[in-house]
Amino acid sequence: MKLTALGFGIAALLLSASVASADVYMTANFSGAINPGGANVKAPFSGNGFAQSDPISGSFVFDSSLIPASGTVNVFYPAFPDIAAIAPATAFNLTLDGLSFDLSDNLNGLTSPGIQYKNGAFNGFNFITNFSFQAKDYQFRINGTAITVKLIDPNSGFAVGSSLMNAHINLALTNVAAFDPNTVTPGVPEPSTWAMMILGFAGLGFMAYRRREQASALCAA
């Protein structure tokens, strides 16, 4: 009985310490650049810190268990079971000269942020946000590997005209590594975690009780 209780207590504690989603998360870096050619950087950005071939850098977290096998598919961040435990700047971030964005900047009312795949391989992102530059508002959008920047009409609130800046994201990812969302932003344990912890402590308590009972029996004898 003692060995059974001991095994039960240890197993319960191990389960409580390792309870997490079955999803397998990874992190990776990506890069890119403003497209070559002067026509791809127009006023007011040309000559104001932005030039052709300026680099893009960033990183993101992806759920490898959600990567589709075929087709061109966007896997949206809200589909990640543990997205609430991942900081927005960790889940997705991008820097292009003076522009920096992360997952929290996405305009969810226009589109959900996501990672695009093509036949099971990384193919860019789905992301859209607004920013201000020289007292005017612009829209920054990623569709796959293509980045565009357009002026926002102050009357309609919509992006209008041709793109004032074009850039691209490279498909080759670097520094791909395993990622554990539970070690980044620990949260309140799930009910199932509490249950396993209680079972574990109950098993240890039962072991202590049995030892006391055996000691009392020996003394009485």
Side-chain angles (χ1 to χ4, degrees), residues 28-134:
N29 293 344
F30 64 90
S31 61
I34 296 177
N35 294 346
N40 292 296
V41 184
K42 301 178 181 178
F45 299 101
S46 58
N48 285 297
F50 300 91
Q52 55 182 302
S53 299
D54 279 356
I56 295 169
S57 63
S59 65
F60 70 108
V61 172
F62 62 95
D63 185 342
S64 60
S65 62
L66 297 180
I67 298 176
S70 61
T72 301
V73 181
N74 288 319
V75 175
F76 298 109
Y77 277 100
F80 290 15
D82 297 293
I83 190 60
I86 306 174
T90 301
F92 170 80
N93 66 83
L94 176 149
T95 299
L96 170 57
D97 286 334
L99 303 178
S100 294
F101 307 111
D102 64 40
L103 193 65
S104 65
D105 295 313
N106 187 77
L107 299 178
N108 298 326
L110 295 180
T111 185
S112 186
I115 305 166
Q116 187 176 110
Y117 296 96
K118 184 175 182 180
N119 297 328
F122 172 70
N123 197 56
F125 300 98
N126 191 64
F127 181 85
I128 184 170
T129 190
N130 293 343
F131 68 98
S132 296
F133 186 78
Q134 294 186 351

Side-chain angles (χ1 to χ4, degrees), residues 6-218:
L6 176 62
F8 176 80
I10 293 175
L13 284 175
L14 288 174
L15 284 172
S16 68
S18 62
V19 169
S21 75
D23 293 67
V24 180
Y25 293 95
M26 306 290 289
T27 184
N29 293 344
F30 64 90
S31 61
I34 296 177
N35 294 346
N40 292 296
V41 184
K42 301 178 181 178
F45 299 101
S46 58
N48 285 297
F50 300 91
Q52 55 182 302
S53 299
D54 279 356
I56 295 169
S57 63
S59 65
F60 70 108
V61 172
F62 62 95
D63 185 342
S64 60
S65 62
L66 297 180
I67 298 176
S70 61
T72 301
V73 181
N74 288 319
V75 175
F76 298 109
Y77 277 100
F80 290 15
D82 297 293
I83 190 60
I86 306 174
T90 301
F92 170 80
N93 66 83
L94 176 149
T95 299
L96 170 57
D97 286 334
L99 303 178
S100 294
F101 307 111
D102 64 40
L103 193 65
S104 65
D105 295 313
N106 187 77
L107 299 178
N108 298 326
L110 295 180
T111 185
S112 186
I115 305 166
Q116 187 176 110
Y117 296 96
K118 184 175 182 180
N119 297 328
F122 172 70
N123 197 56
F125 300 98
N126 191 64
F127 181 85
I128 184 170
T129 190
N130 293 343
F131 68 98
S132 296
F133 186 78
Q134 294 186 351
K136 290 186 178 180
D137 292 330
Y138 298 87
Q139 185 180 92
F140 180 99
R141 183 164 196 157
I142 308 176
N143 184 9
T145 60
I147 296 176
T148 57
V149 175
K150 292 185 177 183
L151 176 69
I152 293 178
D153 186 328
N155 297 315
S156 67
F158 293 105
V160 296
S162 60
S163 181
L164 303 175
M165 189 190 310
N166 295 324
H168 72 277
I169 293 172
N170 298 325
L171 291 177
L173 301 177
T174 58
N175 300 323
V176 180
F179 176 82
D180 183 358
N182 299 301
T183 63
V184 178
T185 309
V188 177
E190 295 290 334
S192 60
T193 304
W194 281 116
M196 295 309 299
M197 291 176 65
I198 292 170
L199 287 173
F201 288 126
L204 293 176
F206 180 76
M207 285 172 19
Y209 169 77
R210 290 290 298 169
R211 288 175 180 173
R212 287 197 300 270
E213 286 290 303
Q214 291 173 354
S216 298
L218 289 174

